[in-house]
Amino acid sequence: MKISVVNGANLNLVGKREPKYYGSETLDTINQEIKAKADVLGVEVDFFQSNIEGEIINFIHNSNNTDCGGIILNAGAFTHYSYAIHDAITSVDIPVVEVHLSNIHKREEFRHKSVLSDACVGLVTGFGKYSYIMALEYLAAAKST
């Protein structure tokens, strides 16, 4: 089974941008740890990052035509207003877990609302890179049952 890890706006700057919220590890380092965990779980992972909303939508749409068994999605700021990404999630038959490095409910008021959550099978927020690992473990276990 393959699981896609999709990162949205500004996540290419993780490790440099606001380490108070996002930590000091780069996205590449986090992806390496996700890959190592995927190897232990016996699943394949691929990674995609874009600051462009439409590219994320196209990636989600195209995942429906692949062997993708799940998507881990950190949409960044798109989380709070992108009904287009919401609709992309509901248009595919793939479980999507929404993740965030920081706890969006302990941040600025506008970050408290996710327009994606109700389209996803779950939400993991506030555990740093472990948010991705928890989502990966869930998707791997859900597909093996």
Side-chain angles (χ1 to χ4, degrees):
M1 174 182 58
K2 181 175 78 175
I3 295 172
S4 293
V5 180
V6 178
N7 284 286
N10 299 310
L11 288 159
N12 56 306
L13 297 177
V14 166
K16 299 175 192 129
R17 176 180 171 241
E18 298 183 276
K20 167 183 167 182
Y21 294 116
Y22 304 113
S24 58
E25 291 185 82
T26 66
L27 187 59
D28 285 338
T29 301
I30 293 169
N31 287 346
Q32 290 171 11
E33 291 193 41
I34 295 167
K35 169 79 170 86
K37 183 63 174 186
D39 290 345
V40 169
L41 295 171
V43 296
E44 180 185 344
V45 288
D46 63 5
F47 301 95
F48 177 77
Q49 189 280 323
S50 180
N51 295 315
I52 301 170
E53 183 179 23
E55 289 180 357
I56 294 168
I57 293 164
N58 287 340
F59 186 91
I60 293 168
H61 288 173
N62 293 335
S63 294
N64 214 34
N65 302 319
T66 68
D67 61 346
C68 183
I71 296 173
I72 299 168
L73 174 62
N74 184 343
F78 295 133
T79 298
H80 314 295
Y81 68 86
S82 182
Y83 293 100
I85 292 176
H86 173 281
D87 291 349
I89 295 167
T90 61
S91 71
V92 298
D93 190 28
I94 300 169
V96 177
V97 177
E98 178 184 350
V99 302
H100 298 283
L101 292 162
S102 67
N103 183 342
I104 62 174
H105 303 289
K106 288 187 159 194
R107 303 274 314 270
E108 303 91 340
E109 183 69 30
F110 77 90
R111 295 186 197 275
H112 295 187
K113 172 130 174 84
S114 168
V115 300
L116 308 179
S117 292
D118 71 332
C120 296
V121 297
L123 166 66
V124 185
T125 183
F127 295 99
K129 65 185 174 187
Y130 299 107
S131 295
Y132 293 93
I133 301 297
M134 287 184 247
L136 179 66
E137 288 176 337
Y138 167 78
L139 288 169
K143 283 297 178 179
S144 66
T145 56

